[in-house]
Amino acid sequence: MVPASPYAGRRVCLTTLHGKERVLARPVFHGLGAELLVCGCDTDQLGTFSGEIERPADPVSTCRLKAKLGLAATGLPLGLASEGSFGPHPAVPFLPVGQEVLVFVDLERQLTVVERRLEMRTTFSSRTVGPSDLNSTGFSTWLQQVRFPSHALIARPAQHDPSGRCIKAIRTIADLEVALAHCAAASSNGEVLLETDMRAHCNPTRMASIRRLGFQLVRRIRQLCPACESPGWGRTEAVAGLPCRCCGTATPLMAQERWGCSACCHSELKPRRDGRREADPMHCPWCNP
Ligand SMILES: [Zn+2]
Ligand SMILES: [Zn+2]
């Protein structure tokens, strides 16, 4: 049985300038019985998405700092912040993935609860565009793939622009044409670098991903640690080594889940949720090298 929310009736501060309350208010209300307040303080000092200011810390540290900015501004003890990073899949380099992180900070309990999600559903992409590409089918196919114009783009000169300027939140064909002309003129070879604008309010696919992560996070917060009863008990690691059905060799597939506490060092190993105890020999380094 899931215990009552330890945060019922409380207020939680979300630090965002990008409208993430649209997808996080519901999980916080339905999962925790708490009310979400938005703090729109400027988080650019922690680095920006589009790279004008480099992000100093790893995503979880950035996220925690972001949440604490909101807490300092509002004086509330409960805070929430999200952070995304995008790049090639660690195992399949041509596949783009998003790594979404959501952090809940409770200053009263001195607690930080972290939830992550590797998101395969992402429009993350970039492309260099020359003057001759504009009317090509390849370019219009790419625009469809990145779901423009429902998902916004960023344009910058591909080469030698000392100002480092970029045009963000491009959402219409007309704006795209203006941005391309502008950036091509500033680029020494006339080429423009187009990227997907991954800020949440510019990318509905990412917004949906943050919503899913919000529900994951409140589920974890509702679970209390069996050792210290602190909120934030949940899966922390997949432990590989599911034995091969034919020879018993450990395979790279997950054998167990490690669950851990967000406050103390208690952890437990649990069997796979799907009940599988053996791997197909196709995954076995011995039977199928
Ligand atoms: Zn604990
Ligand atoms: Zn085997």
Side-chain angles (χ1 to χ4, degrees), residues 244-249 281 284 286-287:
C244 168
R245 191 172 61 226
C246 291
C247 72
T249 301
C284 175
W286 178 258
C287 299

Side-chain angles (χ1 to χ4, degrees), residues 14-18 38-49 53 55 62 65-70 73 168 199:
L14 169 69
T15 315
T16 183
L17 285 171
H18 298 154
V38 177
C39 174
C41 54
D42 182 19
T43 57
D44 277 358
Q45 54 184 294
L46 305 174
T48 60
F49 232 129
I53 305 171
R55 312 212 123 188
T62 308
L65 287 173
K66 217 191 251 185
K68 286 188 173 169
L69 280 179
K168 297 194 232 179
R199 293 174 299 161

Side-chain angles (χ1 to χ4, degrees), residues 139-190:
F139 184 51
S140 50
T141 307
W142 184 78
L143 289 178
Q144 277 171 18
Q145 276 166 2
V146 300
R147 309 180 81 176
F148 179 80
S150 70
H151 291 54
L153 294 172
I154 296 178
R156 68 180 89 228
Q159 269 193 3
H160 299 300
D161 178 37
S163 73
R165 261 173 319 195
C166 64
I167 301 173
K168 297 194 232 179
I170 302 166
R171 295 170 181 278
T172 64
I173 296 282
D175 285 351
L176 179 61
E177 282 170 357
V178 171
L180 285 171
H182 221 80
C183 295
S187 174
S188 63
N189 64 356

Side-chain angles (χ1 to χ4, degrees), residues 225 228 261 264:
C225 168
C228 75
C261 174
C264 75

